[in-house]
Amino acid sequence: MKTWTSLKEDQPVVMKMIERMIKDDRMAHAYLLHGDPGTGKQAIALHLAMRIFCKSPHGAEPCKTCTDCRRVESGNHPDLHWLKPEGASIKKEQIQDLQREFTYQGLESNKKVYVIENSDKMTTNAANRLLKFLEEPSRETTAILLTDNQYRLLDTIRSRCQLLALRPLSPKALEAALINEGISPHNARLFQAIAPQLEQAKALDQDTWFADARKLMVQLVSMLHSRSNESLFFVEKQWMEHFKDREQLKIGLNLLLHWFKDLIYIQIEDNASLVMLDYKEQLEQQAFRYTKQQLTTILETITHAVRKLDQNVHPTLVMEQLTLQMQR
């Protein structure tokens, strides 16, 4: 379980808002935590619930040692209700059952908390039922709604919640989250550089297209050294066959960009910044075949190629021009 301190590092703005509300004793009756997958919505909801029930808080932080904190953390607190979709959606009956629970007095105190994960997956009937619940809040009841996309919720539900927007994961935090999901450290380093969101980055681990794209990139940079006169033919016959549209080609250019950045990192002995960790030996072999000025020029040409794609220049023409420039 994440600590309060680590949550403050990952989400400083949201955690500061929560701490200020607790300190000023102006807690809202409903919160809507929204942000990309992996940004800590569940962990923040858990800590917030823990702080609400905690018998011996340290300022804004729960003590984590009292009976209530331990029961919240273990999922066994009788006055904390955690709702998740049943199948593809959260159904009206689930909200009805929740409301029924809240007609009874709390077993441990007068306080009650409910957390709704993937709240945007409520059916229309469930959302309307929840809206009535939110319109008649009890001072001792706290709702915490979690969603990856707040705009899928009814405007009337959003307007009755304190909105807490979670920022995207930093590259370091995204890499750590990927490793925690069982992805190898080498792949985690690459995936966080290619895909900015956790679910996108995780998907790369099972994506055979991306695995082939990485191999083609390595083939191209090797060919630029050993058989430079064949590289243009390779691009026309194999590279463009794989990178069939603009978005796919941008991924290929992104891989190339990180390869040549890594060559600079090798030259300046900054191994901590390397992205292509699986190819460190090849990078070391290539690094000093270029001057820093040559590498800087190549990075500029790759960046310029991406801009050309955004300007609707034909993808094949963009790639052919880039290959010729990298040959020089």
Side-chain angles (χ1 to χ4, degrees):
M1 178 182 179
K2 284 193 172 184
T3 65
W4 190 274
T5 301
S6 67
L7 288 172
K8 286 169 69 174
E9 292 173 354
D10 292 344
Q11 299 295 341
V13 175
V14 164
M15 295 304 291
K16 188 174 183 179
M17 289 175 63
I18 290 173
E19 288 183 337
R20 188 180 298 122
M21 285 186 282
I22 292 171
K23 180 182 177 182
D24 296 344
D25 192 25
R26 52 182 183 83
M27 296 285 288
H29 75 277
Y31 294 94
L32 175 58
L33 288 165
H34 61 96
D36 296 334
T39 49
K41 295 186 291 291
Q42 290 82 358
I44 292 174
L46 192 64
H47 276 78
L48 186 54
M50 196 179 289
R51 175 58 179 79
I52 290 169
F53 291 117
C54 182
K55 294 290 196 299
S56 306
H58 306 304
E61 298 184 41
C63 70
K64 290 191 176 180
T65 57
C66 70
T67 302
D68 283 286
C69 281
R70 293 200 303 270
R71 294 174 83 178
V72 169
E73 186 172 5
S74 66
N76 293 319
H77 198 290
D79 297 322
L80 172 62
H81 301 270
W82 203 288
L83 231 64
K84 298 180 181 181
E86 289 183 355
S89 62
I90 295 172
K91 300 169 178 62
K92 180 182 72 173
E93 291 75 20
Q94 291 178 265
I95 303 298
Q96 287 176 323
D97 291 343
L98 181 69
Q99 289 176 299
R100 195 174 300 114
E101 285 288 338
F102 277 69
T103 60
Y104 308 119
Q105 186 174 353
L107 296 177
E108 301 291 333
S109 68
N110 290 328
K111 297 176 181 177
K112 279 180 172 286
V113 176
Y114 62 93
V115 180
I116 303 181
E117 278 193 51
N118 300 116
S119 56
D120 54 287
K121 293 186 178 179
M122 285 185 289
T123 64
T124 301
N125 287 336
N128 288 325
R129 190 87 189 187
L130 178 68
L131 180 60
K132 293 181 180 179
F133 202 17
L134 292 171
E135 286 174 337
E136 302 172 358
S138 163
R139 178 169 174 78
E140 300 299 325
T141 296
T142 304
I144 306 174
L145 279 57
L146 313 180
T147 179
D148 298 344
N149 187 344
Q150 60 160 320
Y151 298 107
R152 291 177 184 156
L153 284 163
L154 295 176
D155 289 342
T156 44
I157 287 179
R158 292 167 51 218
S159 67
R160 285 164 175 75
C161 298
Q162 172 72 54
L163 300 182
L164 298 174
L166 278 63
R167 70 179 188 181
L169 288 175
S170 67
K172 183 178 179 181
L174 178 55
E175 184 178 340
L178 290 170
I179 292 172
N180 192 51
E181 293 281 344
I183 292 173
S184 72
H186 283 193
N187 279 343
R189 175 69 61 83
L190 175 61
F191 297 164
Q192 62 81 20
I194 299 297
Q197 296 181 359
L198 180 62
E199 293 304 313
Q200 290 176 333
K202 281 170 58 180
L204 294 179
D205 198 45
Q206 305 298 321
D207 190 341
T208 55
W209 180 90
F210 181 77
D212 290 339
R214 183 163 45 172
K215 291 175 184 175
L216 284 168
M217 182 275 299
V218 175
Q219 282 181 263
L220 177 57
V221 294
S222 297
M223 190 171 289
L224 286 169
H225 286 293
S226 58
R227 303 192 307 277
S228 180
N229 60 321
E230 298 177 19
S231 55
L232 194 59
F233 182 78
F234 173 82
V235 164
E236 292 171 349
K237 298 300 180 183
Q238 295 189 52
W239 182 277
M240 296 309 301
E241 184 65 28
H242 189 73
F243 300 96
K244 292 177 185 278
D245 58 43
R246 293 178 190 276
E247 292 308 312
Q248 288 183 344
L249 185 52
K250 283 183 182 179
I251 292 174
L253 294 179
N254 202 359
L255 288 167
L256 281 170
L257 193 70
H258 285 293
W259 183 274
F260 286 100
K261 280 185 179 180
D262 277 359
L263 293 179
I264 291 180
Y265 293 140
I266 292 288
Q267 286 189 356
I268 64 176
E269 299 182 355
D270 183 8
N271 289 334
S273 297
L274 292 176
V275 168
M276 302 282 183
L277 294 172
D278 279 332
Y279 302 101
K280 187 180 177 186
E281 185 175 337
Q282 287 170 261
L283 288 164
E284 289 173 339
Q285 292 172 358
Q286 288 188 15
F288 295 98
R289 297 176 183 175
Y290 295 93
T291 65
K292 286 187 177 66
Q293 182 57 51
Q294 286 173 327
L295 290 174
T296 301
T297 301
I298 289 173
L299 290 174
E300 289 173 352
T301 58
I302 296 172
T303 303
H304 187 55
V306 174
R307 286 200 295 268
K308 285 183 178 179
L309 287 176
D310 291 333
Q311 294 165 358
N312 284 326
V313 179
H314 195 282
T316 301
L317 179 60
V318 169
M319 196 62 208
E320 287 175 348
Q321 289 177 341
L322 175 62
T323 303
L324 291 170
Q325 288 169 321
M326 289 191 296
Q327 283 179 340
R328 299 171 191 169

